[in-house]
Amino acid sequence: AQRQNSMTVDSNPDAVSTLQQADQFLEQVCASVDVDLLPGAMDPVTLALPQQPIYSGLLPRASRYPTLNCVTNPYWCRIQNRL
């Protein structure tokens, strides 16, 4: 009996298309502002908390910008000196 491999992003055309669309969108946004990108329940990371950052290699266009910050979930940050 053959053992089935778990699905990878490369083997799922819908996932590849979705990541490409997200990458294009984030590229446009990161060209103008800082973006803190944290993973959620449907992202390609573990569901156990704390979730590790989304691998920037999945977003090759957006990750060229230093304004893209892939962060953990949960994530703490300051906005105008407030937590």
Side-chain angles (χ1 to χ4, degrees):
Q2 284 186 325
R3 183 177 176 195
Q4 289 184 329
N5 292 333
S6 61
M7 185 182 303
T8 63
V9 170
D10 290 336
S11 68
N12 184 339
D14 291 334
V16 171
S17 175
T18 300
L19 279 170
Q20 288 172 341
Q21 289 173 16
D23 191 25
Q24 289 172 357
F25 171 76
L26 287 168
E27 178 185 33
Q28 293 174 10
V29 175
C30 289
S32 302
V33 297
D34 286 323
V35 174
D36 292 342
L37 181 66
L38 62 144
M42 301 302 290
D43 291 320
V45 295
T46 181
L47 291 178
L49 292 177
Q51 290 177 308
Q52 295 306 299
I54 293 174
Y55 174 58
S56 62
L58 295 173
L59 307 165
R61 295 168 68 155
S63 65
R64 291 183 296 184
Y65 290 89
T67 54
L68 177 66
N69 305 301
C70 295
V71 298
T72 61
N73 180 11
Y75 169 64
W76 293 95
C77 66
R78 288 188 179 270
I79 300 174
Q80 296 183 349
N81 290 326
R82 294 182 183 169
L83 284 178

